Tab-separated table of all heavy atoms in Angstrom:
chain	number	residue	atom	x	y	z
A	145	TYR	N	10.262	-13.526	-19.615
A	145	TYR	CA	10.327	-13.178	-18.193
A	145	TYR	C	10.073	-14.421	-17.352
A	145	TYR	O	10.756	-14.656	-16.346
A	145	TYR	CB	9.275	-12.091	-17.907
A	145	TYR	CG	9.415	-11.426	-16.570
A	145	TYR	CD1	10.426	-10.504	-16.329
A	145	TYR	CD2	8.522	-11.709	-15.533
A	145	TYR	CE1	10.563	-9.887	-15.089
A	145	TYR	CE2	8.643	-11.095	-14.294
A	145	TYR	CZ	9.666	-10.180	-14.080
A	145	TYR	OH	9.792	-9.571	-12.850
A	156	GLN	N	12.991	-9.209	-7.403
A	156	GLN	CA	12.617	-7.883	-7.905
A	156	GLN	C	11.597	-7.231	-6.965
A	156	GLN	O	11.727	-6.079	-6.565
A	156	GLN	CB	12.029	-8.026	-9.316
A	156	GLN	CG	11.349	-6.789	-9.867
A	156	GLN	CD	12.332	-5.692	-10.190
A	156	GLN	OE1	13.416	-5.956	-10.696
A	156	GLN	NE2	11.990	-4.456	-9.865
A	157	ALA	N	10.583	-8.018	-6.598
A	157	ALA	CA	9.514	-7.486	-5.749
A	157	ALA	C	10.072	-7.051	-4.391
A	157	ALA	O	9.777	-5.955	-3.900
A	157	ALA	CB	8.434	-8.546	-5.562
A	160	ASN	N	12.312	-3.736	-4.243
A	160	ASN	CA	11.645	-2.425	-4.310
A	160	ASN	C	10.582	-2.237	-3.237
A	160	ASN	O	10.114	-1.115	-3.021
A	160	ASN	CB	10.991	-2.238	-5.686
A	160	ASN	CG	12.029	-1.984	-6.771
A	160	ASN	OD1	13.185	-1.740	-6.470
A	160	ASN	ND2	11.616	-2.056	-8.020
A	164	PHE	N	8.799	1.311	-2.037
A	164	PHE	CA	7.425	1.592	-2.455
A	164	PHE	C	6.510	1.816	-1.250
A	164	PHE	O	5.631	2.665	-1.278
A	164	PHE	CB	6.881	0.445	-3.316
A	164	PHE	CG	7.491	0.381	-4.701
A	164	PHE	CD1	7.558	-0.829	-5.387
A	164	PHE	CD2	7.978	1.521	-5.330
A	164	PHE	CE1	8.111	-0.896	-6.669
A	164	PHE	CE2	8.531	1.464	-6.609
A	164	PHE	CZ	8.596	0.245	-7.273
A	193	ASP	N	-1.346	1.455	-12.477
A	193	ASP	CA	0.073	1.161	-12.246
A	193	ASP	C	0.489	0.087	-13.264
A	193	ASP	O	0.158	-1.087	-13.124
A	193	ASP	CB	0.243	0.672	-10.795
A	193	ASP	CG	1.698	0.491	-10.416
A	193	ASP	OD1	2.572	0.970	-11.154
A	193	ASP	OD2	1.949	-0.130	-9.359
A	194	ILE	N	1.226	0.525	-14.278
A	194	ILE	CA	1.560	-0.337	-15.414
A	194	ILE	C	2.825	-1.146	-15.109
A	194	ILE	O	3.787	-0.612	-14.565
A	194	ILE	CB	1.790	0.552	-16.669
A	194	ILE	CG1	0.559	1.411	-16.963
A	194	ILE	CG2	2.182	-0.299	-17.877
A	194	ILE	CD1	-0.703	0.659	-17.273
A	195	GLY	N	2.830	-2.429	-15.466
A	195	GLY	CA	3.996	-3.284	-15.201
A	195	GLY	C	4.219	-3.399	-13.700
A	195	GLY	O	5.358	-3.290	-13.223
A	196	CYS	N	3.131	-3.647	-12.967
A	196	CYS	CA	3.149	-3.526	-11.495
A	196	CYS	C	3.885	-4.663	-10.804
A	196	CYS	O	4.136	-4.594	-9.596
A	196	CYS	CB	1.719	-3.455	-10.975
A	196	CYS	SG	0.779	-4.946	-11.393
A	197	GLY	N	4.217	-5.736	-11.517
A	197	GLY	CA	4.920	-6.851	-10.877
A	197	GLY	C	4.132	-7.377	-9.694
A	197	GLY	O	2.930	-7.633	-9.794
A	198	ALA	N	4.798	-7.515	-8.558
A	198	ALA	CA	4.147	-8.071	-7.365
A	198	ALA	C	3.291	-7.049	-6.628
A	198	ALA	O	2.801	-7.340	-5.522
A	198	ALA	CB	5.203	-8.646	-6.423
A	199	GLY	N	3.128	-5.868	-7.192
A	199	GLY	CA	2.095	-4.949	-6.726
A	199	GLY	C	2.451	-4.023	-5.585
A	199	GLY	O	1.601	-3.258	-5.106
A	201	SER	N	4.132	-1.266	-5.477
A	201	SER	CA	3.956	0.158	-5.793
A	201	SER	C	2.480	0.526	-5.694
A	201	SER	O	2.131	1.563	-5.107
A	201	SER	CB	4.513	0.471	-7.186
A	201	SER	OG	4.078	-0.487	-8.131
A	217	TYR	N	-1.526	-3.351	-13.597
A	217	TYR	CA	-1.552	-4.160	-14.828
A	217	TYR	C	-0.189	-4.793	-15.046
A	217	TYR	O	0.835	-4.112	-14.968
A	217	TYR	CB	-1.884	-3.275	-16.044
A	217	TYR	CG	-3.256	-2.660	-16.002
A	217	TYR	CD1	-3.440	-1.346	-15.545
A	217	TYR	CD2	-4.375	-3.367	-16.425
A	217	TYR	CE1	-4.706	-0.765	-15.510
A	217	TYR	CE2	-5.640	-2.797	-16.398
A	217	TYR	CZ	-5.801	-1.496	-15.945
A	217	TYR	OH	-7.044	-0.941	-15.908
A	218	ASP	N	-0.192	-6.083	-15.367
A	218	ASP	CA	1.071	-6.748	-15.695
A	218	ASP	C	0.728	-7.955	-16.555
A	218	ASP	O	-0.326	-8.577	-16.380
A	218	ASP	CB	1.797	-7.207	-14.422
A	218	ASP	CG	3.287	-7.423	-14.667
A	218	ASP	OD1	3.631	-8.402	-15.381
A	218	ASP	OD2	4.101	-6.617	-14.173
A	219	LEU	N	1.625	-8.290	-17.479
A	219	LEU	CA	1.286	-9.435	-18.336
A	219	LEU	C	1.815	-10.764	-17.793
A	219	LEU	O	1.522	-11.821	-18.351
A	219	LEU	CB	1.713	-9.227	-19.795
A	219	LEU	CG	3.091	-8.755	-20.181
A	219	LEU	CD1	4.177	-9.671	-19.738
A	219	LEU	CD2	3.128	-8.564	-21.698
A	220	ASP	N	2.560	-10.736	-16.692
A	220	ASP	CA	3.110	-11.968	-16.120
A	220	ASP	C	2.123	-12.518	-15.075
A	220	ASP	O	1.934	-11.913	-14.013
A	220	ASP	CB	4.467	-11.653	-15.483
A	220	ASP	CG	5.113	-12.886	-14.870
A	220	ASP	OD1	5.253	-13.897	-15.583
A	220	ASP	OD2	5.459	-12.842	-13.674
A	223	SER	N	3.195	-12.994	-11.414
A	223	SER	CA	3.382	-11.700	-10.736
A	223	SER	C	2.036	-11.153	-10.278
A	223	SER	O	1.901	-10.643	-9.159
A	223	SER	CB	4.043	-10.674	-11.672
A	223	SER	OG	5.356	-11.058	-11.956
A	245	ARG	N	-2.685	-8.061	-18.030
A	245	ARG	CA	-2.874	-7.352	-19.301
A	245	ARG	C	-1.532	-6.909	-19.863
A	245	ARG	O	-0.612	-6.550	-19.120
A	245	ARG	CB	-3.729	-6.087	-19.104
A	245	ARG	CG	-5.178	-6.344	-18.781
A	245	ARG	CD	-5.910	-7.065	-19.902
A	245	ARG	NE	-6.072	-6.220	-21.076
A	245	ARG	CZ	-7.124	-5.441	-21.292
A	245	ARG	NH1	-8.099	-5.384	-20.409
A	245	ARG	NH2	-7.208	-4.705	-22.390
A	246	ASP	N	-1.443	-6.910	-21.174
A	246	ASP	CA	-0.284	-6.344	-21.855
A	246	ASP	C	-0.480	-4.832	-21.915
A	246	ASP	O	-1.486	-4.361	-22.445
A	246	ASP	CB	-0.191	-6.948	-23.263
A	246	ASP	CG	1.057	-6.476	-23.997
A	246	ASP	OD1	1.590	-5.396	-23.665
A	246	ASP	OD2	1.489	-7.190	-24.910
A	247	ALA	N	0.477	-4.096	-21.383
A	247	ALA	CA	0.348	-2.634	-21.324
A	247	ALA	C	0.294	-2.008	-22.711
A	247	ALA	O	-0.176	-0.881	-22.863
A	247	ALA	CB	1.514	-2.047	-20.543
A	248	SER	N	0.776	-2.702	-23.717
A	248	SER	CA	0.745	-2.104	-25.053
A	248	SER	C	-0.525	-2.482	-25.817
A	248	SER	O	-0.656	-2.172	-26.994
A	248	SER	CB	1.989	-2.505	-25.848
A	248	SER	OG	2.143	-3.893	-25.843
A	261	ALA	N	4.508	3.885	-14.101
A	261	ALA	CA	5.228	2.687	-14.569
A	261	ALA	C	6.593	2.691	-13.887
A	261	ALA	O	7.406	3.594	-14.118
A	261	ALA	CB	5.392	2.702	-16.084
A	262	PHE	N	6.801	1.727	-13.022
A	262	PHE	CA	8.049	1.654	-12.258
A	262	PHE	C	8.970	0.583	-12.835
A	262	PHE	O	8.574	-0.593	-12.922
A	262	PHE	CB	7.749	1.334	-10.780
A	262	PHE	CG	6.941	2.396	-10.100
A	262	PHE	CD1	5.557	2.314	-10.057
A	262	PHE	CD2	7.566	3.496	-9.535
A	262	PHE	CE1	4.802	3.306	-9.436
A	262	PHE	CE2	6.822	4.494	-8.917
A	262	PHE	CZ	5.436	4.395	-8.865
A	263	GLU	N	10.168	0.974	-13.187
A	263	GLU	CA	11.219	0.039	-13.636
A	263	GLU	C	10.726	-0.998	-14.628
A	263	GLU	O	11.051	-2.173	-14.490
A	263	GLU	CB	11.800	-0.696	-12.417
A	263	GLU	CG	12.906	0.059	-11.722
A	263	GLU	CD	13.871	-0.874	-10.999
A	263	GLU	OE1	13.403	-1.627	-10.139
A	263	GLU	OE2	15.075	-0.834	-11.305
A	264	CYS	N	9.919	-0.592	-15.582
A	264	CYS	CA	9.428	-1.612	-16.515
A	264	CYS	C	9.417	-1.172	-17.973
A	264	CYS	O	9.452	-2.031	-18.855
A	264	CYS	CB	8.041	-2.104	-16.096
A	264	CYS	SG	6.805	-0.825	-16.049
A	266	HIS	N	11.690	-0.008	-19.813
A	266	HIS	CA	12.876	-0.480	-20.549
A	266	HIS	C	12.817	-1.986	-20.836
A	266	HIS	O	13.566	-2.482	-21.673
A	266	HIS	CB	14.165	-0.125	-19.785
A	266	HIS	CG	14.348	-0.875	-18.508
A	266	HIS	ND1	14.160	-0.321	-17.270
A	266	HIS	CD2	14.698	-2.166	-18.267
A	266	HIS	CE1	14.386	-1.224	-16.332
A	266	HIS	NE2	14.720	-2.361	-16.917
A	267	ASP	N	11.942	-2.718	-20.118
A	267	ASP	CA	11.808	-4.167	-20.341
A	267	ASP	C	10.811	-4.499	-21.450
A	267	ASP	O	10.679	-5.659	-21.827
A	267	ASP	CB	11.287	-4.852	-19.064
A	267	ASP	CG	12.380	-5.052	-18.017
A	267	ASP	OD1	13.557	-5.097	-18.400
A	267	ASP	OD2	12.039	-5.162	-16.822
A	268	MET	N	10.077	-3.509	-21.902
A	268	MET	CA	8.956	-3.792	-22.817
A	268	MET	C	9.427	-3.886	-24.259
A	268	MET	O	10.207	-3.058	-24.717
A	268	MET	CB	7.898	-2.701	-22.683
A	268	MET	CG	7.244	-2.723	-21.317
A	268	MET	SD	6.047	-1.427	-21.151
A	268	MET	CE	5.413	-1.800	-19.510
A	269	SER	N	8.897	-4.871	-24.966
A	269	SER	CA	9.266	-4.985	-26.379
A	269	SER	C	8.672	-3.820	-27.168
A	269	SER	O	9.266	-3.355	-28.124
A	269	SER	CB	8.779	-6.326	-26.942
A	269	SER	OG	7.390	-6.419	-26.769
A	270	ASN	N	7.520	-3.352	-26.720
A	270	ASN	CA	6.855	-2.269	-27.441
A	270	ASN	C	6.590	-1.087	-26.506
A	270	ASN	O	5.446	-0.812	-26.131
A	270	ASN	CB	5.529	-2.815	-28.027
A	270	ASN	CG	4.760	-1.773	-28.808
A	270	ASN	OD1	5.251	-0.662	-29.054
A	270	ASN	ND2	3.537	-2.108	-29.189
A	274	ALA	N	3.023	0.880	-25.170
A	274	ALA	CA	2.640	1.000	-23.759
A	274	ALA	C	2.448	2.465	-23.378
A	274	ALA	O	1.497	2.819	-22.683
A	274	ALA	CB	3.703	0.352	-22.878
A	317	HIS	N	19.645	-9.878	-18.262
A	317	HIS	CA	18.197	-10.010	-18.130
A	317	HIS	C	17.373	-9.024	-18.970
A	317	HIS	O	16.547	-9.430	-19.771
A	317	HIS	CB	17.815	-9.884	-16.646
A	317	HIS	CG	16.349	-9.784	-16.412
A	317	HIS	ND1	15.502	-10.865	-16.560
A	317	HIS	CD2	15.561	-8.736	-16.064
A	317	HIS	CE1	14.260	-10.489	-16.311
A	317	HIS	NE2	14.270	-9.207	-16.012
A	362	PHE	N	16.956	5.547	-9.046
A	362	PHE	CA	15.860	5.900	-9.955
A	362	PHE	C	15.927	7.335	-10.452
A	362	PHE	O	16.358	8.237	-9.724
A	362	PHE	CB	14.506	5.728	-9.248
A	362	PHE	CG	14.201	4.314	-8.838
A	362	PHE	CD1	13.419	4.071	-7.711
A	362	PHE	CD2	14.656	3.226	-9.573
A	362	PHE	CE1	13.114	2.770	-7.322
A	362	PHE	CE2	14.355	1.924	-9.196
A	362	PHE	CZ	13.585	1.700	-8.063
B	401	LIG	C1	11.533	-5.235	-13.658
B	401	LIG	S1	9.898	-5.710	-13.368
B	401	LIG	C2	9.279	-4.344	-12.405
B	401	LIG	C3	8.086	-4.717	-11.592
B	401	LIG	C4	7.594	-3.633	-10.639
B	401	LIG	N1	7.131	-2.469	-11.337
B	401	LIG	C5	8.670	-3.260	-9.656
B	401	LIG	O1	9.223	-2.162	-9.767
B	401	LIG	O2	8.986	-4.058	-8.775
B	401	LIG	C6	9.174	-5.405	-14.936
B	401	LIG	C7	7.707	-5.793	-14.996
B	401	LIG	O3	7.157	-5.326	-16.225
B	401	LIG	C8	6.246	-6.294	-16.669
B	401	LIG	N2	6.023	-6.080	-18.104
B	401	LIG	C9	6.933	-6.152	-19.106
B	401	LIG	N3	6.343	-5.903	-20.288
B	401	LIG	C10	5.031	-5.636	-20.024
B	401	LIG	C11	3.910	-5.303	-20.816
B	401	LIG	N4	4.015	-5.174	-22.144
B	401	LIG	N5	2.723	-5.124	-20.206
B	401	LIG	C12	2.593	-5.249	-18.862
B	401	LIG	N6	3.619	-5.564	-18.058
B	401	LIG	C13	4.823	-5.752	-18.623
B	401	LIG	C14	6.924	-7.613	-16.327
B	401	LIG	O4	6.021	-8.692	-16.342
B	401	LIG	C15	7.469	-7.299	-14.948
B	401	LIG	O5	6.562	-7.609	-13.926
Side-chain angles (χ1 to χ4, degrees):
Y145 192 74
Q156 169 70 39
N160 287 348
F164 288 153
D193 186 13
I194 303 298
C196 61
S201 47
Y217 296 97
D218 201 290
L219 49 61
D220 180 53
S223 293
R245 290 297 291 269
D246 184 336
S248 53
F262 297 93
E263 275 207 302
C264 60
H266 69 255
D267 281 336
M268 294 178 177
S269 58
N270 180 8
H317 171 73
F362 297 150

